[in-house]
């Protein structure tokens, strides 16, 4: 059964911006939030001697309802979209509800949000100086188009500093440089198929810089693009006999990629 914030023993009434009434308990709010605690030390107006005092808050019903459910010792609702998460986080920060903030930080870097929009997760973490969350989110931005994804989260990115965004650009460039170096080292020109080295080097650098790949991904990519040659000598790294060994050496070398900002 969903708790409805209409308890008969409530000693405070909160009014949301859109006039929804929440009958709550001062002691719970005071424990969760020093801002609420200080607010409730001031005398509150009484409409009648039979009603608890009331406080008007600027939060919408949707935001206030979720915030209170995270404050109260009751089951918390799932937060599945960025707008809801951002709104509740703004309110939790305003009321200094540290217990709620801690739980929202965990939700922010959950797979659901990181897989959806890692750049937006990074931007929100930077806004509130969640350093560990920002660092973790940056690992998921390594293979995305920052400009394209940024177009969808401008509202959150406007709170992110230029330095924070520059760190992501540096991370992507550092990873690309590492891929370039590893591929070049492992694919030294020579052998009977040397004419194809330039093309395969370019293909590998572009693909490995764009997304995370394993050995099977690389082999499939090279075969699909016609880069694996049926070399009769069996010595050329682009031939069937040597290609898997070559690809493994490249993928293993990518363990040096910078993981995060």
């Amino acid at each position: 059964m969903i708790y409805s914030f209409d308890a008969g023993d409530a000693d405070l009434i909160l009014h949301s911006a859109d006039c929804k009434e929440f009958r709550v308990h001062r002691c719970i709010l005071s424990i969760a939030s020093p801002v609420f605690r200080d607010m409730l030390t001031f005398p509150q107006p009484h409409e009648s001697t039979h009603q608890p005092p009331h406080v008007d808050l600027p939060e919408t019903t949707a935001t206030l309802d979720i915030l209170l459910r995270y404050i109260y010792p009751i089951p918390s609702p799932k937060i599945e979209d960025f707008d809801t998460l951002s709104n509740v986080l703004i309110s939790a920060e305003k009321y200094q509800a540290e217990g709620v903030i801690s739980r929202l930080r965990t939700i922010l870097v959950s797979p659901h949000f990181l897989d959806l929009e890692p750049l937006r997760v990074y931007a929100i973490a930077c806004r509130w100086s969640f350093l560990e969350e920002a660092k973790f989110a940056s690992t998921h931005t390594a293979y995305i188009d920052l400009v394209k994804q940024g177009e969808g989260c401008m509202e959150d990115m406007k709170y992110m500093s230029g330095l924070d965004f520059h760190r992501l650009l540096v991370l992507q460039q550092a990873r690309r440089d590492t891929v370039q170096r590893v591929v070049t080292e492992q694919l030294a020109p020579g052998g009977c198929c040397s004419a194809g080295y330039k093309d395969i080097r370019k293909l590998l650098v572009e693909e490995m810089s764009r997304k995370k790949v394993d050995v099977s991904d690389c082999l499939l990519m090279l075969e699909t693009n016609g880069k694996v040659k049926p070399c009769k000598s069996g010595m050329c790294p682009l031939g069937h006999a040597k290609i898997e060994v070559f690809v493994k050496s490249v993928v293993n070398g990518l363990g040096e990629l910078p993981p995060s900002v």
Side-chain angles (χ1 to χ4, degrees), residues 28-43:
I28 295 178
L29 298 188
S30 296
I31 292 172
S33 161
V35 175
F36 273 128
R37 183 178 63 241
D38 293 343
M39 182 190 304
L40 298 176
T41 60
F42 294 100

Side-chain angles (χ1 to χ4, degrees), residues 24-87:
V24 296
H25 303 83
R26 293 187 183 204
C27 61
I28 295 178
L29 298 188
S30 296
I31 292 172
S33 161
V35 175
F36 273 128
R37 183 178 63 241
D38 293 343
M39 182 190 304
L40 298 176
T41 60
F42 294 100
Q44 303 297 326
H46 285 68
E47 292 187 354
S48 76
T49 56
H50 304 293
Q51 284 288 333
H54 70 267
V55 175
D56 295 329
L57 297 179
E59 281 75 24
T60 64
T61 294
T63 297
L64 186 56
D65 183 82
I66 294 175
L67 176 66
L68 290 174
R69 292 184 188 282
Y70 273 84
I71 287 175
Y72 265 64
I74 57 177
S76 302
K78 289 185 67 175
I79 298 178
E80 298 184 312
D81 65 272
F82 277 103
D83 289 341
T84 299
L85 179 60
S86 293
N87 290 336

Side-chain angles (χ1 to χ4, degrees), residues 207-256:
E207 192 72 7
M208 291 179 167
S209 299
R210 186 175 62 85
K211 65 180 181 180
K212 186 175 182 178
V213 294
D214 57 20
V215 173
S216 60
D217 292 329
C218 286
L219 290 173
L220 179 61
M221 173 189 65
L222 294 175
E223 291 174 357
T224 302
N225 284 271
K227 300 302 181 183
V228 179
K229 311 293 183 180
C231 180
K232 294 180 180 179
S233 71
M235 298 302 294
C236 177
L238 302 187
H240 286 297
K242 297 289 184 178
I243 189 66
E244 187 168 351
V245 174
F246 158 68
V247 169
K248 283 182 178 179
S249 65
V250 171
V251 172
N252 290 338
L254 295 183
E256 306 171 29

Side-chain angles (χ1 to χ4, degrees), residues 73-174:
I74 57 177
S76 302
K78 289 185 67 175
I79 298 178
E80 298 184 312
D81 65 272
F82 277 103
D83 289 341
T84 299
L85 179 60
S86 293
N87 290 336
V88 177
L89 184 53
I90 289 170
S91 295
E93 287 281 352
K94 181 175 72 173
Y95 297 116
Q96 298 175 22
E98 294 299 331
V100 177
I101 293 170
S102 177
R103 295 166 68 188
L104 295 178
R105 290 175 71 163
T106 300
I107 294 171
L108 177 63
V109 291
S110 65
H112 172 74
F113 286 107
L114 281 174
D115 292 344
L116 201 60
E117 291 186 67
L119 179 57
R120 193 169 183 182
V121 172
Y122 178 79
I124 293 172
C126 289
R127 174 181 182 179
W128 300 110
S129 298
F130 298 160
L131 301 184
E132 288 302 314
E133 288 79 3
K135 184 176 182 179
F136 185 63
S138 73
T139 66
H140 290 71
T141 68
Y143 299 106
I144 67 171
D145 185 329
L146 294 175
V147 174
K148 185 175 181 180
Q149 189 164 124
E151 293 173 355
C153 57
M154 287 296 186
E155 183 63 27
D156 292 295
M157 286 185 65
K158 72 181 183 182
Y159 298 103
M160 184 172 69
S161 72
L163 178 59
D164 290 327
F165 189 73
H166 181 259
R167 288 192 177 108
L168 295 183
L169 296 175
V170 170
L171 173 64
Q172 287 197 347
Q173 186 59 53

